[in-house]
Each structure stands twice: as structure tokens, then as C-alpha cells.
Amino acid sequence: MTDTAPRADGGTPPVDEPGRAWVFGDDIDTDQITPSRFLVSTEPAELAEHAFNDLRPAFSADIEAGDFVVAGENFGGGSSREHAPLSLIGAGVSAVIAQSFARIFFRNAINLGLPVLICPDAGAIEDGASVSIDLDAGLVHDHDAGETYEAEPLPQFLQELVDQGGLEAYTRQKLATQTE
Amino acid sequence: MSSSARTITEKILSTKAGREVTAGDYVEAEIDAMVGHDVTGPLAIDVFESVTGDDGTVANPESVVFTLDHHAPADGVEAANNHNIVREFAETYGTHQYEISDGICHQVMIEEGFVRPGDLIIGADSHSTTYGGLGAFGTGVGSTDLGTVFATGELWFRVPETIRFEVEGTLPDGVYAKDLILRFIGDVGFDGATYKTAEYGGSAIADLPIHQRLVLSNMAIEMGGKAGIVEPDERTVTYLERQSGLDVSLDPDLGSDPDADYEAVYTYRGSDLAPQVSKPSNPENAVDIDEVAGTPVDQVFVGTCTNGRYEDIRAVADVLEGERIDSNTRLIVVPASKTVYQTCLETGVLETLVEAGATFQSAGCGPCAGYHQGVLGDDDVCLATANRNFPGREGSMQSEVYLASPATAGATALYGEITDPRDLETDRYDDYAVATVEGGR
């Protein structure tokens, strides 16, 4: 596993540089991303050691900073545990590309500044493919297949939240304005 | 659509945002109450300290609640340390804090009077949708959301569209709210209500006692729902008086307008429904019980924020009164709160269950959280009154969990295989539809 382990407010690796796609199927719930027994930790790097522990044990050992998680429908269903997106940030994942997301996971990722992209064609990306994202244009490039897929743009409110660096940064600014 | 009909969701979020909003709008809204527990609380505390610095102030400590329920009592040093982080924060900032014996966050929030119709409530736990059973907008959030709300008292929301589940008529004997919600999830799928409110109505829902309405709301998240709401009525008011000690006057306008704009309406006839069981390993795998009846089970688990209330546990005791559970089956019962525990003690339900062979544990999430107190080994098969049966949810990835109602759980414990409660003598299960403690019926 990478030892760069960026913390949420330290930012995630750039999404426009190619990285390996770790492909998962539909309905990957938060219990599978971060099994319950590892929730005693709140450290991204420590949580990263157990990401997909039971589902895909090789993930934490082989993931490299700048890699992407690619999934099918309804990624992140179930629990509200923020440990799930935090473990991916800890592992150095640049972004999660999925056909659709469960609500709380999507919200948590936005709040933490982990890019999440809804891409209806994500199912065409093969495991191990080299991918990158053009966030401004809302495009996913599959360099191995030589294909480009469109992603759904984030609503304006969420884009502003991401641009400000996530909910913590947004709240700091809000508190500062209130006390002025 | 200005000045037109609105859903209860739009009404609550408009009030809390201080302006008229409809589905699709983004708002910042005031939070009436919020809860974090021993898994999500420490992260929220980190976030609060990060955003406020050394001189942090909790905006409204009276609205902040902590519970210790997932690792209760602590099952390891790290969990114990997390408990201490929560205790110290509550002490420092003057927030509410409940102890390891007090129970599951959602049950504690309701019993302690933090939930009223029309409230906007968040919890760093996905089953915070439960509060919709009392006509509140309750939704699960992450720790970053919670920690920032400690500091500001408000949070951003996208106002969700609403899907309405309408059930008319009367439910047959042996069919309860749990069977309804498993059927709904089975019909729309695990992501069928993602980003939306699931609203439940119709004469069969209006007839449900509050303890059953809470089941419908609790499992809205199992179809991806942002909230799950039953419109409040006089029964809600009575329940809150007796169970939560609240004096609530019902706003007659707090309900969806008859011509409100729904994204979809699913209509059911109560009399058509049979007891449901969700097969492994997703709640959407709901089938009529006859499809899986006879499946041998190693363990039956009764409890959780879905079905760990007194009426649920009593339903199991009614089935097992004077009987022994099957010798090849374990029965684990975990009350949702200390109050539930005490009621089981006072009414003889606890004695009945222990005599029948049950393991009766202290209040909390029990094995549903997957950590301890009855987790499953390889190839174990469990039937649970819980809300989730994901792979490895209650222990081994090789174990299997079926979801069902308390009446089905009692019948299954008795015979050691999935058993239709309608196959029992009716006096062993028909009280379940009636509430005693709440007086709400």
C-alpha cells in the first residue's frame, strides 16, 4: 500500500493523470468497503489497510496512489460510516467512478473532497485498465480501450462545495463570516 | 410549482430553511436534534475540533445526543477508548450522553423525547430514517456532516422527491409492518428510493400502532431512501405523551396535501399480502414465506433498531410461552433499550424467553453491528429481525442471514427451521398487532 495516505483536507491525487482501474460490481455496500470490525479506527491510513478486506483482500496491498475505484450501480449502500470513503482516501484513490451511488456514501465523499463521478458507461471499463478523468468536461478516459465516456455533471451547489475543499473548509469559512 | 400542493417532506424542509422549497432545491436548514454513536461519534468530534479550533463552541448543546450502542459494553480496548472520547466530549461541551446500558441511538432518541412531528433530525447512522415513524424528517448522515452541525446548528440538504407506498384495507393475521417493508423493498429494489423520501399511507398504515410504523421508516434506507415518513396523527400524539413524556399538539396541516406531487405511487391491498422473508444477501430478496419455509437455521436473532422494541420481543415470547426452542437452534434476544429491557423484566417476557432457551443480552445493537455478542461463524444460517443481510453483516462472509418479522422469528426458533407464523395457533401471535406499552391503539 502507498504510504502517501493523504488526509481528506490534504486533497486526493490528481484525477487527470492515468491510474489503474479497480473494478467492482453492483451493490457494493459499506460493510464490504470497510467491514464493521475495523471501525474502531478513525485514521485514513489505518482504515486503508482494511479496505475491501473480505471482498478483495489484495486491494490494500496492491493499490497505488492515483488509482481509481470503478463500480456498477449503487456503490456504497447501507451504513453511514464515513470510514468507507475515508479508507479510499487513505489508500490514495483519486476518484470513484460508478454507474450510480448510494446517497450517504455520495454525500460523505463530497463532504470529504473525494471526487465521485456518475458515469452510466462505467460498466465498460475493464479491471486493470488505465483511466483518467477530465473533471471540468465531465469525461472519463479509458486509455486501454481508447474510449471516452460521459459523466453526469455535479449540481452547482455540490460543485461549489467541492471547489471550496469539502464541508470542513466550507464550515470554517461560514464560522469566520459569522464572527466578523 | 409555487403555492401548490406539497409533500410533508417539502413542508418540513421549507419550515426549517425559512423559505418555500420544493423537490430538487438545495437548502441550508436548522437541525432540531442530532445523534452520534460510538462508531461515528469520535470522527464527528475530530471534525468539530478541526473546524472550530481550540475555542470551539457547540451551537446548541441541548440538541446534541451521543449514545454508546454498537460496542456496548466495550468489546476491546480501542472501542473502550472511543467510548471515553465520546464521554469526555459530552462532559466538556454539555451535550446529552447516554451510557452503554441505555440502548440503541434511535430508540433512545424517541424514548427520551428528542423526536416530534415536523422536526428535522439527523443522525450519523443510516437508520436515522426511523424518526419518520413519528412524522419527523429523519435522515442518516456522515460524521463530517454531524461534526459541522455541532458547530453551526444547520446543514445542507437537497429536498428529495417522494415515492408513496399506499396500503389499503386490513393486513391478514401474521402479517405486520416488517412484512410490508420487505415487500416494498423487494418491489422497488435496494436502490429504488435513492435520494428520495419513502412516504407510507393508506388505511392499513393508519391502522398500524407506532411501534410498527417505526419499522417502515427504519428500513427506508434499505431501498436507498433519504427519509421514510408516516404522516403523524392522534396515535402519534398519544404515543409521544406516554412513551416520551412529550406534550405535542398536532399541526393539522402537517401532512402531504392530497394532490401533492409524487414521483411514483405504489398501491397495495393489505389482504393480498403474506409474511415475507428476505433471502441472503440483500434486503431486496424478499419472497413470500412459503418459498423458504423449512430452511434449517442455526440462530435466530431478535433485536436491533428495526425490531428490538418491547412489542417485538413480546411477540417472540408469545410464541415460545411454555415451549423450548429447537435443540439445534440458538435464540439471541437483544432489547433496543434499557426501558425495553425493564418492561420485559416486569411483564415476565424475559423469564418466558430464558425458560424457552433464549440468550437475553443487555441493550444495544448486538450482533447486527457485526462485532460481538452472537456473530455468525462459517456456514451459519441465521434468521434475524434486523434490517440488513449483506454478506458478512453479522460475522463470517460464508454465513447467511434471512430477514423476517418477530412473529416469524418466534415460530422459526420453535421449530429450528423457517416457519410461517400462520401455521401456529393464532393466540400465539395475534397480540402483536396491538400495542400495550404505548397506549397508541
Side-chain angles (χ1 to χ4, degrees):
Chain A
M1 195 201 71
T2 172
D3 57 7
T4 52
R7 159 72 219 193
D9 42 15
T12 48
V15 296
D16 55 354
E17 290 174 15
R20 175 183 169 179
W22 290 77
V23 175
F24 295 85
D26 294 338
D27 292 332
I28 303 298
D29 61 71
T30 49
D31 284 66
Q32 295 177 69
I33 302 168
T34 311
S36 300
R37 60 189 184 280
F38 304 116
L39 296 180
V40 285
S41 171
T42 56
E43 290 303 319
E46 210 171 306
L47 289 166
E49 289 174 26
H50 308 295
F52 300 111
N53 191 87
D54 302 331
L55 186 66
R56 198 165 177 184
F59 180 86
S60 62
D62 296 344
I63 182 88
E64 291 185 7
D67 284 357
F68 293 78
V69 166
V70 177
E73 301 281 356
N74 199 31
F75 185 77
S79 165
S80 70
R81 62 187 67 163
E82 205 159 289
H83 311 64
L86 214 47
S87 74
L88 303 185
I89 290 171
V93 168
S94 322
V96 183
I97 303 160
Q99 288 172 276
S100 66
F101 289 90
R103 189 189 68 83
I104 308 178
F105 181 91
F106 186 78
R107 183 179 179 110
N108 285 343
I110 297 277
N111 284 344
L112 290 170
L114 172 66
V116 275
L117 228 64
I118 299 170
C119 177
D121 295 324
I125 299 170
E126 292 190 5
D127 193 55
S130 171
V131 298
S132 64
I133 293 174
D134 181 340
L135 264 189
D136 292 335
L139 298 173
V140 177
H141 300 296
D142 182 337
H143 303 284
D144 286 6
E147 298 280 353
T148 293
Y149 309 111
E150 287 189 15
E152 291 178 16
L154 278 186
Q156 191 186 347
F157 179 90
L158 297 187
Q159 191 57 57
E160 286 167 13
L161 204 54
V162 171
D163 290 345
Q164 289 188 34
L167 189 62
E168 279 196 29
Y170 176 84
T171 305
R172 268 191 215 102
Q173 200 175 0
K174 188 161 144 184
L175 288 171
T177 315
Q178 280 172 1
T179 52
E180 269 170 15
Chain B
M1 291 220 305
S2 62
S3 76
S4 62
R6 295 180 299 160
T7 62
I8 184 172
T9 292
E10 291 167 329
K11 288 180 182 179
I12 293 174
L13 288 171
S14 291
T15 302
K16 301 305 170 185
R19 65 186 168 95
E20 288 287 291
V21 295
T22 52
D25 291 343
Y26 282 83
V27 301
E28 292 208 279
E30 278 184 39
I31 306 300
D32 293 297
M34 65 201 85
V35 64
H37 52 61
D38 46 347
V39 173
T40 58
L43 258 179
I45 290 168
D46 279 353
V47 169
F48 170 80
E49 290 174 343
S50 165
V51 296
T52 60
D54 293 334
D55 54 349
T57 308
V58 172
N60 182 11
E62 276 301 305
S63 70
V64 178
V65 179
F66 286 102
T67 56
L68 305 174
D69 48 15
H70 281 58
H71 294 265
D75 53 342
V77 175
E78 289 161 306
N81 288 338
N82 283 340
H83 287 183
N84 287 339
I85 289 170
V86 170
R87 290 185 183 110
E88 283 165 24
F89 182 88
E91 167 106 29
T92 304
Y93 292 95
T95 70
H96 297 277
Q97 196 251 311
Y98 293 89
E99 263 305 327
I100 54 166
S101 59
D102 288 327
I104 308 175
C105 49
H106 310 304
Q107 186 65 14
V108 169
M109 288 285 283
I110 291 167
E111 289 174 358
E112 295 294 318
F114 290 103
V115 183
R116 297 163 183 265
D119 278 358
L120 174 57
I121 300 174
I122 60 165
D125 186 282
S126 61
H127 291 105
S128 303
T129 52
T130 308
Y131 311 128
L134 292 164
F137 187 91
T139 192
V141 298
S143 295
T144 295
D145 280 321
L146 183 64
T148 58
V149 183
F150 291 166
T152 65
E154 53 183 31
L155 188 60
W156 68 273
F157 295 93
R158 180 184 176 280
V159 182
E161 290 80 12
T162 295
I163 296 178
R164 187 169 165 99
F165 295 88
E166 185 104 12
V167 189
E168 296 296 342
T170 309
L171 299 181
D173 287 345
V175 175
Y176 310 102
K178 183 59 163 289
D179 303 297
L180 285 180
I181 188 66
L182 294 179
R183 188 66 262 141
F184 299 161
I185 296 165
D187 288 348
V188 304
F190 183 47
D191 60 355
T194 300
Y195 305 114
K196 304 182 198 332
T197 294
E199 184 179 294
Y200 312 103
S203 59
I205 304 291
D207 275 348
L208 289 177
I210 302 298
H211 72 88
Q212 291 204 55
R213 296 183 189 180
L214 294 168
V215 177
L216 297 178
S217 296
N218 174 273
M219 289 190 70
I221 182 66
E222 262 60 68
M223 47 178 148
K226 182 167 188 164
I229 299 186
V230 182
E231 294 160 276
D233 57 14
E234 283 306 319
R235 192 168 282 179
T236 315
V237 172
T238 308
Y239 181 91
L240 286 170
E241 276 173 12
R242 300 198 184 172
Q243 186 87 329
S244 315
L246 289 178
D247 183 11
V248 173
S249 62
L250 197 63
D251 173 359
D253 188 45
L254 185 65
S256 292
D257 296 322
D259 49 349
D261 193 15
Y262 293 110
E263 186 171 284
V265 178
Y266 293 84
T267 308
Y268 295 82
R269 203 162 58 189
S271 55
D272 290 346
L273 294 159
Q276 300 291 302
V277 175
S278 276
K279 300 191 289 186
S281 298
N282 194 301
E284 73 177 10
N285 298 337
V287 295
D288 284 0
I289 193 167
D290 56 2
E291 198 173 303
V292 289
T295 304
V297 303
D298 304 292
Q299 181 160 305
V300 174
F301 165 40
V302 176
T304 79
C305 55
T306 314
N307 280 118
R309 296 183 186 84
Y310 170 68
E311 291 84 356
D312 302 318
I313 297 172
R314 189 191 61 188
V316 178
D318 284 350
V319 171
L320 295 175
E321 174 110 50
E323 304 278 353
R324 287 284 302 181
I325 61 170
D326 184 80
S327 59
N328 292 317
T329 303
R330 312 175 287 271
L331 171 60
I332 293 179
V333 182
V334 188
S337 73
K338 184 190 328 196
T339 303
V340 171
Y341 195 127
Q342 285 171 326
T343 308
C344 289
L345 190 62
E346 288 158 10
T347 56
V349 158
L350 192 157
E351 188 178 3
T352 298
L353 288 170
V354 171
E355 282 179 358
T359 302
F360 200 95
Q361 298 178 172
S362 60
C365 299
C368 179
Y371 312 110
H372 64 148
Q373 293 189 319
V375 296
L376 302 170
D378 297 345
D379 304 322
D380 273 346
V381 175
C382 175
L383 181 128
T385 66
N387 39 48
R388 289 189 176 142
N389 55 353
F390 301 153
R393 173 72 184 178
E394 289 183 32
S396 168
M397 286 289 278
Q398 280 74 51
S399 64
E400 293 191 327
V401 178
Y402 292 81
L403 305 176
S405 79
T408 300
T412 299
L414 183 59
Y415 291 105
E417 57 184 40
I418 294 177
T419 301
D420 190 333
R422 295 173 302 182
D423 292 345
L424 306 173
E425 303 155 44
T426 54
D427 65 355
R428 287 204 175 273
Y429 66 86
D430 62 358
D431 279 353
Y432 179 57
V434 184
T436 51
V437 174
E438 64 176 54
R441 186 179 167 108

